[in-house]
Structures are given as C-alpha cells and as structure tokens.
Amino acid sequence: MCGIVGFVSHSGGGITYILHRALKALEYRGYDSCGIATVHENRIYFEKDKGKIDEVFVQINPEELPGPLGIAHTRWATHGAPSRENAHPHLDCSDSIAVVHNGVIENFLKLRKELTSKGHNFKSETDTECIAHLIEEFMSNGCGIFEAIKKTIRRLEGSYALAVVSARDPGRLYCARNESPLVIGLGEDGNYCASDIPAFLFWTNKVIVLHDGELATIGSESVAIENVNGLKIEREPVVVSWTADMASKSGYPHFMLKEIHEQPKALRDTLKFKQQTIDKFAEIISQAEQLYIVAAGTSYHSGLAAQSVLSQTIGIPSQAIISSEFANLVGNSLSENDVVIAVSQSGETIDTLRAIRHAQSKKSKVLAITNVLGSGITREADLVFYTQAGPEIGVAATKTFLVQLTTFTRIALKLLDNFGTNSPAYTENFREKLNQTPQALNQVINKLEIKTKSLASFLAEKSNAFYLGRGVSVSTALEGALKLKEISYIHAEGYSAGESKHGPIALVDEGFPVIFIAPNDVTRKDILGNVMEMRARGAYIITLGEEGDKELAQVSHQFLDMPQGFSLPFSPILYVVPLQLIAYYTAVKRGYDPDKPRNLAKSVTVP
Ligand code: F6R
C-alpha cells in the first residue's frame, strides 16, 4: 500500500518525467493521491494533490520542479482521507526536508504531541508528517541529515519504507526500511530507490534489496548502506530477469488483460524453474506432522485448491487457513514438527508475514511461495520458491493464482514420484497433463475469449451472481466470484454447490445468474443435480464443463466448453481463466478501470 520512488541523476535533467514514469509502475500500490519533491540549489520544490497519478501530473509544469534529484509517492490512504494536505511528500516547518513513506507509524500520535509542544506546525492528519518534523528537530539540535534520519528511525514504531531529501544536501537522497519493501536500482544515468522493482525496470535491472533496519545514502554514482547501529554493509547487486516490456501494457488496453494472456508463458516458466527447490519442498512436506497453507485473497484460494490437490493425489492432509486468522485458529497447537507454507504474490502481505512469525515463534518450519525477489516473506521463511509470473501490475491477481497452483502441483508430482502408491501409469499421465497445461490454456483463451465477452454484456446488467463448485472447484468458484466483485462491483458469492442449498438458494429468482464449475471429475454427477435445482427456481445457468458433455450443455443456458482430460488437479488452473475474462469484460462493459479497482491496493501491508 503506497508506492515510493526516488532518483538521483548524473545529468540533472528530466527528473519529473522519470519520477512520473517510475511512479506509474507503482500505481497498483495505491492511487488516491500523489506527489513529488525535487531539490535544486538548496531549495525544495514540490507538488501534490488528490487524484490518480496522471491526473495530478498533468497539472505539474516540469520546469517548475528543477534539480538533479527527487522523490515521489502514490498513496493508499490509511491516516487521513485522500486530500492535498494528506498527500505525500510531507515537509518540515521550513519546507527544507521532504519525506515520502510507505507503512504505518504506530506511535505517531505520541510523537506528534511531543513535536507540537516543541513548536512544530503540522499541516496534515498523516502519521508520516511526524517523520519530517522529527528529522528537523534533530537537525536543529546540530545533527547532519543522515544522523538526524538515523536518530529519527530509532524513535519510530511500526513499518516504514522512507525516502528523504533535504534542501541542505542537493546531491543525495536517503532511504530506510523496516517491514515495508524498498529496493535500490543502479542505473547508467543515476541511481534509484523504490517500493518495487518495476518502478525502475525501464532504466535498470541491477537491484540491491535493502533489509529491515538498514539505511542507504544514494548519490548519482554511489550507494552506501549501513544499519541503524552504524555497521557498514557491502551488498552486491543482483541482476533480475524481468524486463521493462514485462512491466508495460504492450498494446493491451489494461494490465489485467495483458496478464491474463501472459498466463500460458507464466505456467511454462514456472514448470521448468528450479526442480531442486521443488524436491526440497516435497522432502520437508513429507516429514510434516501437520501441514498448513497460509495466504490471503487469491493466494488463499490457490492454497485451498492445493489442499485438495495434495489430499486427492498423494493423500497428504493439509489445512489452508486465511493468514489473518492463522494465529487465532491454530494458537499454541503448532510444534516444531509442523510445516507452514506461506503463499503470497507480493511477499509483503502483513497478515501472511504475521502468520509466518507466529509459526516461527512455535519453531515450525516455514516454506514460502512468492513472486517477488527480496520481498519480506523471502527473508523470513526457511526456504523460498519463486513463481515465474513476471511482474503482476493489475491490482486483481491473475497469473499468480495459476503459477502458485502449478508450484503445488509440481510438489504433488514429486511426492508421487517418491512415495506414491498409485500406478506408474497414473504418475506418468499426471506428468504429461501437467506439462500440457500451458498449451491447453492457450486453447482455452483462444476459444472462449469472445464468448466470455458476450457473457459479460449479460452480467454487466445484473446486481448479483453465484459461483458454485464442488471439491477442488470450490476454490475456482471462490476465485471467480472474487474477481467479479472486486473489479466490476457486482455482488458475487463463491460457494460450495452442496452448501448453497443451506441458505443462499433463497436469493435465487428469475434470471439470477449462477455459474457452475463442473469439470469431469467425481463431483460432476452431484453438480448436475445442483444445476437442476437452481434451474427449477428460475436461475440463469452458465456452466464450465468438459467439451462434449452434452448432458450439462443441455441444462445450461450458456455452456463454456473446456478441454477434455484436465480434471483434478489441473481443472482450477484452466477453469479459472474464463472466469477472469468474464470479470474483466464485465468491469470494462460497466465503465470501470479493472487495473485500479476502488478502495483496493495490490499489496496489503496493514493488518
Ligand atoms: C485479489 C487480490 C488480493 C490478493 C491478496 C493477497 O485479486 O489481488 O486478494 O490476492 O491481497 O496478496 P498476496 O498474494 O500478495 O499476499
């Protein structure tokens, strides 16, 4: 939530353009207000306002923001409503220190009271502003800027990624982090800091990840890192494989549509990535007394599907638990013999990080599946598998559901190889089908995109929808409903089809859309019964079933035919994609921007 960037250039020109472009790549982190500050000849220039990045930047005259370095921010409001006053950057009393911040300062009220009593004049309701005044206070007591920042962060409780500029130091910017992501980019034309790598991918893929409790001084040709205790840190940059093109729309109208179309490639890349790590995951899982999967949102849905995949294919029981409820639910029952798999696209979801910390406090082993290099999760888990989705910029998760589930399916296959009691033919068929999923997915998209678009025109007029499935398809149903509600604002519920008769069916009347996920597995017969029940009450039936399933097609008003032979464990990987397309086209039809749904941000770093 919230994105920060900073840039120090060699040449001194084009700062506004670069910061604008970098900030755009972080827009998924929040978009209710934004701002920029530059430093030129011992003066800070700044602009900020409520609104999306392009709306605000169109009013900024780059000539009026001169200087070779600057910082910028895109906000997702936590403390104080979206407004010009609450937008970042925040400045001290004399407008000579500017700060952008991602995170939450928990003791800000106490700090604010203390600083107000010392005569500091606050202009916003934010927690961030106290940082600028605290730095000012230390500087007025004789500290240089770096020392003042160091003393300031020792006083802060909570999470932060900060970038700071000072009018007294027009050649450098400073940054620090604790529990909020911050990466440094080493470019040809200067150096960057940002909340996430896509911000500077257009200029460099050489990255240094800043760790908790560290500060960096960034000049145009130098980066110096030390920790809060003054220990100097030498860290080599890593070269990431992501490219600028991956972080651009490449001709698609929205990131979400581009990312839906990238899914076959994301599957292919994830299928061939690091077999050794998959083997290690399988070994650790096979020794677990209890196995838990913790995640939030879409990642939780992939965890739920994984629970079925592991139990149905290899007979390993596990429990998928929403991260924010993990500690409440498992309490003290965890032990050192248990294994917790944390799943998170961003690797920064605070609830998932807290679940990890709870597991570690009980000495359980923690494995992580994430998509983002250097994210919080990667530093806290015992072992990490990186999914190969590339950057996911649309706020609604798409590629990552598929690659997370592919990772679990690879683990299941390894467990089958090592311990399976199934016939060799079963395992070989499993392997073959898994390797065929990218191609099958390509066919699904090619065949069904137009049909999902026309279904979207129908759904766009509706106020409610049910998504129903059984077994592993409950997770597909939950994910389909989440996609529709979060980007098209139509009330949608994903449910177990069996459970739908225990209450939800009361809502169904003439024309109520019910979407059934009905692959050709052991659940199909019961699903057929549920379709008939809903139909008898006037529901408009949309079914996703196997090509050639005439019986299902006949009882459906709309039938989306999926490739034959991809039932459990592969069905969620393929069946979720038409649901993503339906949600996307419904949002577009209703005139909404699917990449920036209201009230949401892609990484949720507050509990
Ligand atoms: C839904 C969505 C969210 C995320 C959730 C977890 O489309 O994007 O529900 O899935 O916030 O995020 P990660 O996977 O980054 O932990």
Side-chain angles (χ1 to χ4, degrees), residues 450-460 540 542 558 560 582:
I450 292 177
K451 197 157 182 181
T452 56
K453 204 169 171 176
S454 85
L455 266 175
S457 301
F458 164 78
L459 279 176
Y540 187 86
I542 300 164
Q558 299 282 343
L560 300 181
I582 288 173

Side-chain angles (χ1 to χ4, degrees), residues 295-301 323 343-350 352 370 377 392 394-398 400 404 479 482-483 486 600-604:
T298 293
S299 297
Y300 168 67
H301 297 156
S323 320
V343 188
S344 172
Q345 181 285 130
S346 62
E348 296 294 343
T349 300
I350 188 71
T352 306
T370 187
I377 258 183
E392 189 177 75
V395 165
T398 51
T400 49
Q404 289 162 353
E479 180 56 11
L482 176 63
K483 287 288 91 88
E486 71 179 331
L600 294 178
K602 195 159 180 71
S603 52
V604 181

Side-chain angles (χ1 to χ4, degrees), residues 24-335:
K24 280 292 287 173
L26 298 182
E27 201 165 22
Y28 69 86
R29 303 180 68 86
Y31 31 83
D32 58 41
S33 45
C34 68
I36 172 172
T38 64
V39 187
H40 180 57
E41 293 177 354
N42 298 102
R43 194 180 143 192
I44 289 187
Y45 296 79
F46 70 97
E47 289 286 348
K48 57 183 186 171
D49 213 340
K50 181 179 165 179
K52 293 192 176 138
I53 295 170
D54 284 344
E55 291 161 11
V56 175
F57 269 74
V58 85
Q59 296 160 26
I60 296 176
N61 178 0
E63 309 287 310
E64 287 167 15
L65 288 170
L69 79 157
I71 53 178
H73 186 271
T74 185
R75 180 166 188 249
W76 187 89
T78 54
H79 295 71
S83 67
R84 183 181 188 280
E85 291 68 37
N86 292 332
H88 299 216
H90 289 286
L91 288 93
D92 65 329
C93 297
S94 58
D95 286 354
S96 59
I97 296 159
V99 176
V100 289
H101 165 222
N102 165 216
V104 175
I105 306 303
E106 285 157 10
N107 58 337
F108 87 100
L109 282 174
K110 191 169 150 226
L111 292 171
R112 188 177 171 120
K113 202 166 154 201
E114 177 187 319
L115 289 158
T116 307
S117 73
K118 289 185 176 159
H120 289 264
N121 178 21
F122 279 77
K123 302 171 206 98
S124 76
E125 301 161 90
T126 63
D127 52 339
T128 304
E129 195 183 342
C130 69
I131 301 172
H133 292 285
L134 206 49
I135 297 172
E136 179 184 31
E137 182 64 24
F138 284 120
M139 287 180 81
S140 71
N141 291 334
C143 290
I145 175 78
F146 186 69
E147 207 47 38
I149 295 171
K150 212 151 71 173
K151 287 196 163 160
T152 295
I153 62 174
R154 287 197 193 119
R155 296 283 320 272
L156 303 180
E157 289 167 20
S159 56
Y160 52 82
L162 299 175
V164 182
V165 289
S166 159
R168 287 203 226 157
D169 194 355
R172 278 179 292 231
L173 70 83
Y174 301 88
C175 56
R177 72 156 279 173
N178 185 51
E179 293 186 11
S180 293
L182 196 62
V183 281
I184 295 168
L186 307 180
E188 299 271 302
D189 299 323
N191 294 324
Y192 306 78
C193 68
S195 300
D196 198 0
I197 296 165
F200 47 70
L201 265 184
F202 194 76
W203 303 285
T204 183
N205 61 354
K206 268 196 214 160
V207 180
I208 298 178
V209 178
L210 207 63
H211 296 182
D212 283 349
E214 293 179 350
L215 300 96
T217 305
I218 304 182
S220 65
E221 293 184 37
S222 64
V223 171
I225 303 176
E226 64 179 73
N227 72 14
V228 72
N229 301 318
L231 185 73
K232 304 256 181 280
I233 298 185
E234 295 292 330
R235 186 166 302 135
E236 284 300 308
V238 284
V239 177
V240 295
S241 58
W242 293 6
T243 63
D245 191 48
M246 286 172 160
S248 75
K249 288 189 201 156
S250 311
Y252 284 91
H254 297 102
F255 279 111
M256 183 175 175
L257 189 61
K258 174 184 176 239
E259 288 163 4
I260 291 172
H261 279 265
E262 281 173 350
Q263 292 180 118
K265 177 174 187 313
L267 286 188
R268 233 172 256 122
D269 292 346
T270 300
L271 277 172
K272 51 180 197 247
F273 192 66
K274 294 233 165 133
Q275 185 59 43
Q276 263 184 341
T277 313
I278 296 287
D279 296 352
K280 194 82 194 136
F281 265 60
E283 186 192 325
I284 294 169
I285 288 170
S286 70
Q287 289 159 7
E289 210 156 82
Q290 303 277 348
L291 177 63
Y292 296 98
I293 302 169
V294 294
T298 293
S299 297
Y300 168 67
H301 297 156
S302 89
L304 263 186
Q307 183 182 307
S308 295
V309 169
L310 291 172
S311 67
Q312 301 278 347
T313 60
I314 181 75
I316 291 188
S318 62
Q319 203 183 340
I321 299 183
I322 292 170
S323 320
S324 56
E325 294 299 336
F326 183 63
N328 301 329
L329 285 173
V330 298
N332 290 327
S333 69
L334 278 180
S335 83

